[in-house]
């Protein structure tokens, strides 16, 4: 196929846990031979590794705003997996997509990574909220203040989609778990580990006792890394078919979840880390040291209804979360060396 007929895709965060899994899914996609994929990587030594699987790699990062604009301008689809809170990077990508629209008259696609952390409350582990967000309930999502995590960037992207020069889709994964086992991990390109669960395990090992925030009653949804990747490809497939296939712009929110748990208390009990199966309360100093703040005590409850309507079918349940815990605990020595 001539390069001019291919779908040009630009992926940021391609060496990361999520971005690498998404890129790997694109490389094994039934239409992969019709894709021309470009990525940014901070590591010059990974350029040849990317090239070996047919991916064009450019040395750079989210701080290289001109590169973001340039490669977005050259792309039919941008999949942003690098940083949910980087407003300047989001603006640079949108600038490039606006230039593409102005020059070609064709509306490009942006699939942006946010997260259900945008819904966090101040429960401090003391209760489970009954407030559950659906990604079909747009007024409820729009009621979130701009001060919530990720929200400022989400608002900017939705506004661009509403202006019509780009079709925007925002994916909001919840607590992602599981060790990625992709072709890119095998090549040494991709980080195979999440942040949230290993951080919890590390804290428990260090303090020789599992911990909770407050009473440990708060609830978060969860999603396996493989189901996260198929969420992206499901949205991607719908987006490239045309504007009528899936909600975009104001209606382009896609939660990623397949179950929920009061994961602080329950997971630590399953791990049997520490002197007692009953967790103790994290101090403020511990929360800052291990997690950068008290977010682990918040609620974030969602239902991923929009993606299921367009064919997303996650296969990993909460049972998979318990099963993965042992594997991630055993991998801690390697995780701590990354």
């Amino acid at each position: 196929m001539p390069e001019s007929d291919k779908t040009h895709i630009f992926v940021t965060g391609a060496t990361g846990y999520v971005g690498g899994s998404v890129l790997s899914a694109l490389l094994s996609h039934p239409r992969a031979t019709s894709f021309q994929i470009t990525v940014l990587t901070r590591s010059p030594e990974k350029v040849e590794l990317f090239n070996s699987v047919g991916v064009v790699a450019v040395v750079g990062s989210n701080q290289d705003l001109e590169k973001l604009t340039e490669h977005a301008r050259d792309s039919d689809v941008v999949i942003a997996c690098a940083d949910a809170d980087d407003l300047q990077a989001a603006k640079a990508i949108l600038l490039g997509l606006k230039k593409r629209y102005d020059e070609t008259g064709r509306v490009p696609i942006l699939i942006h990574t946010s997260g259900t952390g945008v819904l966090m409350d101040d429960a401090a582990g003391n209760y489970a909220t009954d407030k559950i967000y659906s990604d079909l309930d747009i007024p409820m999502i729009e009621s979130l203040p701009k001060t919530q995590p990720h929200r400022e960037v989400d608002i900017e992207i939705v506004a661009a989609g509403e202006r019509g020069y780009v079709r925007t889709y925002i994916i909001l994964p919840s607590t992602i778990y599981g060790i990625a086992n992709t072709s890119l991990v095998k090549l040494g390109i991709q980080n195979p580990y999440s942040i949230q669960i290993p951080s919890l395990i590390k804290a428990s090992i260090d303090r020789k006792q599992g911990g909770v925030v407050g009473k440990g009653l708060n609830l978060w949804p969860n999603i396996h890394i493989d189901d996260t990747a198929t969420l992206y490809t499901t949205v991607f497939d719908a987006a490239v078919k045309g504007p009528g296939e899936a909600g975009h712009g104001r209606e382009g929110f896609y939660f990623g979840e397949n179950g929920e748990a009061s994961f602080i208390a329950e997971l630590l009990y399953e791990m049997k880390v520490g002197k007692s199966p009953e967790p103790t309360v994290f101090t403020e100093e511990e929360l800052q040291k291990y997690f950068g703040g008290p977010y682990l005590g918040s609620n974030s409850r969602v239902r991923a209804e929009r993606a299921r309507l367009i064919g997303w079918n996650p296969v990993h349940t909460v049972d998979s979360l318990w099963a993965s815990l042992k594997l991630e605990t055993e991998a801690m020595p390697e995780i701590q060396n990354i």
Side-chain angles (χ1 to χ4, degrees), residues 11-28 39-40 50 53 55 79-82 113 180-186 189-192 225-226 228-229 232:
V11 181
T12 66
T15 61
Y17 180 57
V18 174
S21 296
V22 173
L23 176 57
S24 185
L26 289 173
L27 291 173
S28 61
V39 303
L40 281 186
F50 276 117
V53 292
V55 173
I79 304 178
C81 299
T113 304
N181 184 27
T182 70
S183 59
L184 300 181
V185 170
K186 294 178 176 68
I189 293 175
Q190 178 192 350
N191 166 34
I225 184 58
D226 293 345
T228 304
Y232 279 81

Side-chain angles (χ1 to χ4, degrees), residues 254-271:
Y254 295 83
F255 291 140
E257 60 79 25
N258 197 33
E260 63 181 8
S262 180
F263 71 92
I264 304 294
E266 291 181 28
L267 292 189
L268 292 171
Y269 182 83
E270 292 291 327
M271 284 163 53

